Amino acid sequence: MKALVFQGPGQTAWQDVPDPGIKDAADAIVRVDAVTICGTDLHIIKGDVPEVTPGRILGHEAVGTVVETGGDVRTVRPGDRVLISCICACGRCRFCREGHYGQCRGGGGWVLGHTIDGTQAEYVRVPFADLSVHPLPSTVDSYDAVLLADIFPTSYEVGVLNGNVRPGDTVVVVGAGPIGLAAIATAGLYSPGRTIAVDLAESRLAAARSLGADATVNAAEEPQQLVDDLTDGLGADVVIEAVGVPEAFEMCTRMVRPGGRVANIGVHGKPATLHLEDLWIKDITITTGLVDTYSTPMLLRMMAAGRLPSSSLITHRFELGQMEEAYDVFSRAGDTGALKVALGGPQHDAITVAAPQP
């Protein structure tokens, strides 16, 4: 099959690789029908995630069709259309039993495109399939559903819930890429008083307004001053960091009010300065986190009911074989206006499926 293979910092290739096979009775093999690129993938290619070694197939978000299952898989079968979660869960360890699947110690967590081969390929092996894939209703489009693999649960859980967004709050989202935009959309579920988006790209600020931001400001134009003006100098109740660079994190800590919350979502490859000389007296809560995806079933129900914006976040579509072109467009979002890019192969009228393995 073809897959996008990481070959070291700054280097990838769309190349021939061996087809995946069942390695454990809890595995499923899924034909990839729709896949997307995450900002985390860009961090990996830059060398910010050293656990990803050369030879790894990238990607952790996809929708596809099950073609083979191990003997222990009970919830899906060959022929089922499924959402592949960015997080796999063994279901047995302490963290999985508490719903903290992102911290799984039984072989799960964020493994796809990280410590095992991922989804930016024609086929993918998904471990712990009963807890790591979600059957999709026929009413949900594959290109909409792929947004539930990562960006919506990540923004909702690590941003909105960790930030404890409440009715009437002033919420600032720093970074209006796909994650930040999904944070704006899901923060709206809690009726904040106002939501302010900060970014460098006007196209992304326009998208933020379309998804519910009440005010937008270019990151180069003193966003802290706008926040102060709108809050009578108090600062924001919740600031969500969705960039992953030190400057963005430090900006967030300057914009939050005493007693407020900073929820970090961004993937950081460099240290950020924590200005405790200013923050120690302000009762600030700072949270970090990897998504657990416990909210995915609820978000999927909301999408099926038309309660989540979805297709508006996908700005570019490509054939699966155009993976390198898609990466180029996505990595130059400031020039191309890309939000989320989606890739898919030609649709099949029939597929070949294998019987469950004993």
Side-chain angles (χ1 to χ4, degrees):
M1 69 172 185
K2 293 283 190 181
L4 187 82
V5 180
F6 176 66
Q7 298 183 332
Q11 300 179 23
T12 60
W14 179 251
Q15 65 185 60
D16 289 317
V17 297
D19 292 344
I22 297 291
K23 293 185 178 180
D24 183 89
D27 290 348
I29 306 299
V30 180
R31 185 195 70 207
V32 174
D33 298 329
V35 66
T36 186
I37 301 170
C38 181
T40 302
D41 297 319
L42 300 183
H43 281 281
I44 291 171
I45 293 170
K46 284 167 48 180
D48 289 346
V49 188
E51 298 84 2
V52 181
T53 54
R56 177 68 62 230
I57 296 172
L58 297 182
H60 51 268
E61 308 163 86
V63 167
T65 304
V66 177
V67 297
E68 187 177 1
T69 56
D72 289 349
V73 177
R74 296 290 181 268
T75 61
V76 295
R77 60 184 180 180
D80 286 348
R81 190 172 66 110
V82 295
L83 168 69
I84 301 172
S85 175
C86 65
I87 298 296
C88 298
C90 78
R92 298 183 297 271
C93 72
R94 169 183 172 175
F95 291 106
C96 284
R97 287 178 178 271
E98 294 174 350
H100 297 305
Y101 308 123
Q103 303 302 321
C104 174
R105 291 298 183 266
W110 173 36
V111 293
L112 291 170
H114 184 205
T115 58
I116 68 173
D117 287 335
T119 58
Q120 290 170 6
E122 293 179 310
Y123 293 87
V124 60
R125 178 182 72 90
V126 183
F128 310 116
D130 280 336
L131 290 173
S132 306
V133 302
H134 302 268
L136 288 173
S138 60
T139 54
V140 176
D141 180 80
S142 293
Y143 288 101
D144 291 341
V146 76
L147 300 176
L148 297 179
D150 184 353
I151 69 166
F152 269 107
T154 293
S155 299
Y156 180 63
E157 295 175 19
V158 186
V160 175
L161 295 185
N162 279 3
N164 193 22
V165 174
R166 294 178 290 205
D169 278 352
T170 292
V171 178
V172 177
V173 178
V174 177
I179 288 286
L181 293 172
I184 290 167
T186 51
L189 301 174
Y190 292 85
S191 301
R194 64 170 65 87
T195 302
I196 304 165
V198 181
D199 201 277
L200 287 167
E202 180 52 42
S203 61
R204 293 191 164 191
L205 294 176
R209 290 190 290 271
S210 72
L211 287 168
D214 301 289
T216 60
V217 59
N218 191 291
E221 297 176 358
E222 299 187 10
Q224 184 177 353
Q225 185 62 55
L226 174 65
V227 173
D228 285 344
D229 291 345
L230 292 175
T231 61
D232 296 324
L234 184 64
D237 300 286
V238 182
V239 187
I240 296 173
E241 199 281 349
V243 181
V245 299
E247 297 81 2
F249 175 79
E250 292 166 29
M251 179 191 299
C252 290
T253 62
R254 292 194 300 270
M255 292 192 293
V256 68
R257 68 164 172 82
R261 289 89 67 195
V262 175
N264 183 88
I265 305 177
V267 177
H268 288 264
K270 297 179 181 179
T273 301
L274 184 63
H275 289 281
L276 285 176
E277 74 278 12
D278 297 322
L279 297 174
W280 72 270
I281 201 170
K282 294 179 67 176
D283 296 341
I284 302 298
T285 298
I286 298 174
T287 59
T288 66
L290 175 67
V291 65
D292 293 312
T293 67
Y294 62 83
S295 67
T296 302
M298 178 272 289
L299 294 169
L300 180 56
R301 291 193 298 272
M302 291 185 66
M303 179 172 282
R307 300 295 186 182
L308 280 182
S310 50
S311 57
S312 62
L313 290 172
I314 296 176
T315 54
H316 296 72
R317 291 194 184 189
F318 300 88
E319 293 293 324
L320 198 57
Q322 295 176 291
M323 187 68 71
E324 291 170 312
E325 180 183 347
Y327 260 93
D328 176 64
V329 169
F330 184 64
S331 66
R332 296 186 298 108
D335 299 323
T336 63
L339 296 177
K340 202 69 171 167
V341 302
L343 304 95
Q347 296 301 303
H348 301 264
D349 294 327
I351 62 170
T352 300
V353 298
Q357 290 195 358

